[in-house]
Amino acid sequence: MPLEEYKRKRRFDETPEPAGKVETKSTHRFVVQKHDATRLHYDFRLEMEGVLKSWAVPKGPSLDPADKRLAMQVEDHPVSYFDFEGNIPEGNYGAGTVMVWDLGTWQPLSPVPVEGKYVPGTEAEAVAMLAKGDLKFRLHGKKLNGDFAIVKMKGRRPGSKGNEWLLIKKHDDFEVEGYDIDQYDESVLTKRSLSEIAGDSGSKEWTSRPATGRGKLKAAWLANAVAKLDKKRAEEKKAEKDSKKLAPKKKRT
Ligand code: MN
């Protein structure tokens, strides 16, 4: 069952995190959350197949192709987790402060580059690449942009759970040599630093069931980006339908 592990680990009467459900359709959004739990790490999440495919990245993503960032795959999260920012109370799973560090949309890339460059691929290719353990994608975020790959590590280290992947920036116009993630301690939603979110009594800890809908996109620029993406996908679907209409119907025998 999708999200079973996510739900099993949490008590929703105590944590402000969303309970969530599997969505029937996926837009291609991504989020990176900075999470000051037992150890500070970044959670990298791609919206796919109605959930957020999730990895915990101890050092955070990098725009330097020379950095291969260890990324531990964790349980799928509900799509409504996408804009969760606040404090998970002591004694709960993942207790600590969560910042929405980056948000945006992503595109699957075709597994085979054309003349050394990656080109947009299909949803089916993305699902297959993820299953194979080598997913290539392009990010359109506020902090992260350009082409990336997330690759499952084959050799198991002693004591590893077999959930280890590497998050790698590909060479393109968006690469930054010597990228230093610590320079960017600012929420893309609220512009707050991690310590500001931690010290903010108005953040989510004290409202375990927020009255406002969680599905709403807080950042207007993001809502626009997603609306554009939805429109493009709708147009593509319509074009596909129309071409089927024009094609001569098969005779039934
Ligand atoms: Mn985390």
Side-chain angles (χ1 to χ4, degrees):
M1 272 270 284
L3 300 183
E4 191 178 21
E5 188 182 352
Y6 175 85
K7 288 181 176 165
R8 185 171 52 72
K9 285 177 168 168
R10 289 169 177 80
R11 297 188 298 266
F12 294 105
D13 52 346
E14 289 185 21
T15 179
E17 296 164 288
K21 58 178 186 358
V22 179
E23 303 291 332
T24 48
K25 61 171 192 182
S26 292
T27 52
H28 282 179
R29 290 174 286 184
F30 84 93
V31 60
V32 179
Q33 280 151 321
K34 188 174 180 180
H35 186 186
D36 190 13
T38 313
R39 283 202 187 135
L40 181 77
H41 62 274
Y42 293 76
D43 290 298
F44 179 71
R45 311 187 199 280
L46 290 176
E47 182 180 15
M48 232 174 139
E49 302 183 298
V51 295
L52 297 175
K53 299 289 174 188
S54 298
W55 291 263
V57 186
K59 290 186 178 172
S62 176
L63 289 178
D64 187 341
D67 295 332
K68 292 175 170 54
R69 296 298 201 217
L70 181 65
M72 321 286 250
Q73 190 168 24
V74 297
E75 75 275 16
D76 294 345
H77 279 49
V79 171
S80 52
Y81 208 93
F82 176 66
D83 60 354
F84 174 75
E85 181 169 284
N87 296 299
I88 301 170
E90 241 3 90
N92 285 272
Y93 181 73
T97 303
V98 178
M99 170 203 283
V100 176
W101 186 81
D102 198 17
L103 280 178
T105 58
W106 69 279
Q107 270 180 302
L109 295 176
S110 188
V112 186
V114 177
E115 288 167 10
K117 294 216 158 127
Y118 287 99
V119 295
T122 65
E123 181 80 27
E125 281 176 317
V127 171
M129 284 190 286
L130 184 74
K132 247 184 98 185
D134 185 356
L135 173 62
K136 294 181 177 71
F137 53 92
R138 183 168 293 163
L139 297 181
H140 307 274
K142 280 285 183 187
K143 294 187 175 96
L144 298 181
N145 280 286
D147 297 354
F148 290 79
I150 192 157
V151 184
K152 191 165 188 179
M153 289 169 76
K154 289 199 180 94
R156 280 203 185 191
R157 295 190 311 198
S160 98
K161 290 182 194 161
N163 63 342
E164 293 159 333
W165 297 58
L166 293 172
L167 178 62
I168 306 160
K169 178 80 192 75
K170 295 285 182 185
H171 288 288
D172 61 19
D173 293 344
F174 297 101
E175 68 184 77
V176 176
E177 205 189 314
Y179 184 79
D180 177 13
I181 199 166
D182 292 333
Q183 285 181 19
Y184 308 97
D185 180 36
E186 185 185 274
S187 164
V188 76
L189 279 186
T190 62
K191 306 242 186 278
R192 293 179 298 173
S193 69
L194 200 62
S195 58
E196 281 170 335
I197 297 166
D200 180 358
S201 59
S203 61
K204 290 257 159 68
E205 179 164 3
W206 312 111
T207 53
S208 65
R209 293 278 176 188
T212 52
R214 290 222 53 89
K216 258 201 187 161
L217 299 175
K218 286 171 191 148
W221 64 267
L222 179 68
N224 287 340
V226 171
K228 259 189 217 158
L229 196 73
D230 285 349
K231 199 177 157 215
K232 198 172 147 249
R233 286 163 69 97
E235 282 167 2
E236 281 167 6
K237 271 212 178 121
K238 191 176 174 292
E240 201 178 295
K241 253 191 195 166
D242 288 352
S243 72
K244 273 182 195 154
K245 264 185 213 160
L246 289 175
K249 280 193 182 135
K250 271 189 195 158
K251 267 185 195 166
R252 294 196 179 205
T253 52

